[in-house]
Each structure stands twice: as C-alpha cells, then as structure tokens.
Amino acid sequence: MQQKIKPFLWFDTEAEEAAAHYTAIFPDSRVVEVARYPEGAPRPAGMVMTVEFELAGQRYVALNGGPEFRFNEAVSLAVECEDQEEIDHYWSRLSEGGEEGPCGWLKDKYGLSWQVGPRELDAMITDPDPDKARRATEVMMGMKKLDLQALRDAYQG
C-alpha cells in the first residue's frame, strides 16, 4: 500500500546531505529519488530541489526551499526504541552536532527536533495507577537522554 501522507522537511540547501545522514542512521532506509530545479525556477538550475527518502520504511521529502523557514520544536519526529542500546544509538547519532534537550528530546545538526525513547514509555506515564505514572514522569523530567532501567525502576517503585 502506498503511503498517503509524506512529511516535507524544509531545508535551506542541506536536503541531500540531511537525507544521506538520516538514511545512514536508520535501518531499512534509502534515498528514493532526487529532483533538481529546472531553468527559470526560484533557485539555480541543477540545484537539488527535493530528495525523497525512506527512514525505516516511512517516506519523507526533503526540500531545498531557502533560508526563509527554520525547524522548531512545534514538530518533532519520535523514535520508539526497543531497548537501551537502541536509545543510545539513535541519541548519539542524531544529537551529534546538534543539541540535547530534556526528556528524551534533541535537535539534530539541521535543527530538526527528535524524541528518542523506549516504546514502553507511553504506557508508563499513562498508567491508570497514578503513583506509577507520577514516578515514571518525575524521573523522565529529570533526564536528557532517557535511561530505560531508571524509568522502569521508578515506575515499579
């Protein structure tokens, strides 16, 4: 089945570089197609206009649209990890050259926001037992990169 919605990511001139960076980090990822600006377009003819790529089977399009718009935290990509090894891998690769934020959030070197955390986190912080949910949430709020064992320990009490 073809994907109905493809997120577009606006870059100044780094679309191709960013797509290569992201596809090197995630398994089952690839660059699908590169389109270039034609003569008479608002950017130089031959410059990369868009790069369609897949990350873990999800398609995205990176656009070299110019410097007018920058990423901000209003939109982020969440990476649900199975274990601490995956958290560590994605955290280190995505935060390289960027900036670490609180609660598993980071900005990569292009300014795109990511959330890197364990798949089980949502169940912990929304548990019907308010004490379990509170403990897990409080511990998470004090972290940058998430520590799965510390979250589990807090959750269990």
Side-chain angles (χ1 to χ4, degrees):
M1 180 173 143
Q2 247 192 335
Q3 184 174 309
K4 189 126 184 119
I5 298 171
K6 276 188 248 179
F8 263 63
L9 305 174
W10 182 296
F11 295 87
D12 180 6
T13 61
E14 309 90 354
E16 191 170 32
E17 174 188 321
H21 177 68
Y22 299 144
T23 57
I25 294 172
F26 291 89
D28 188 25
S29 299
R30 67 189 177 109
V31 170
V32 176
E33 183 176 15
V34 176
R36 299 188 179 277
Y37 279 101
E39 290 291 335
R43 311 266 343 235
M47 177 183 182
V48 170
M49 179 172 59
T50 60
V51 180
E52 185 168 351
F53 62 102
E54 290 181 0
L55 297 182
Q58 166 79 41
R59 288 220 177 167
Y60 297 84
V61 177
L63 167 71
N64 279 333
E68 295 85 5
F69 301 110
R70 305 301 303 162
F71 294 118
N72 67 49
E73 294 83 355
V75 174
S76 64
L77 301 178
V79 182
E80 293 185 334
C81 301
E82 298 301 325
D83 55 30
Q84 190 65 48
E85 184 179 349
E86 256 195 326
I87 293 168
D88 294 347
H89 166 76
Y90 291 119
W91 184 268
S92 68
R93 294 292 308 276
L94 291 167
S95 66
E96 186 177 290
E99 101 187 40
E100 297 180 354
C103 307
W105 286 64
L106 63 88
K107 284 186 187 178
D108 68 23
K109 63 185 177 180
Y110 306 103
L112 183 59
S113 292
W114 296 80
Q115 298 175 61
V116 179
R119 184 174 305 282
E120 64 199 78
L121 180 61
D122 284 343
M124 288 181 192
I125 63 176
T126 62
D127 193 288
D129 180 330
D131 290 329
K132 285 183 167 184
R134 177 189 49 76
R135 287 190 306 264
T137 301
E138 285 176 356
V139 167
M140 177 195 67
M141 298 296 283
M143 296 178 179
K144 286 192 176 207
K145 178 178 74 170
L146 298 183
D147 178 329
L148 180 53
Q149 191 58 56
L151 288 164
R152 286 175 176 162
D153 291 347
Y155 176 73
Q156 293 302 324

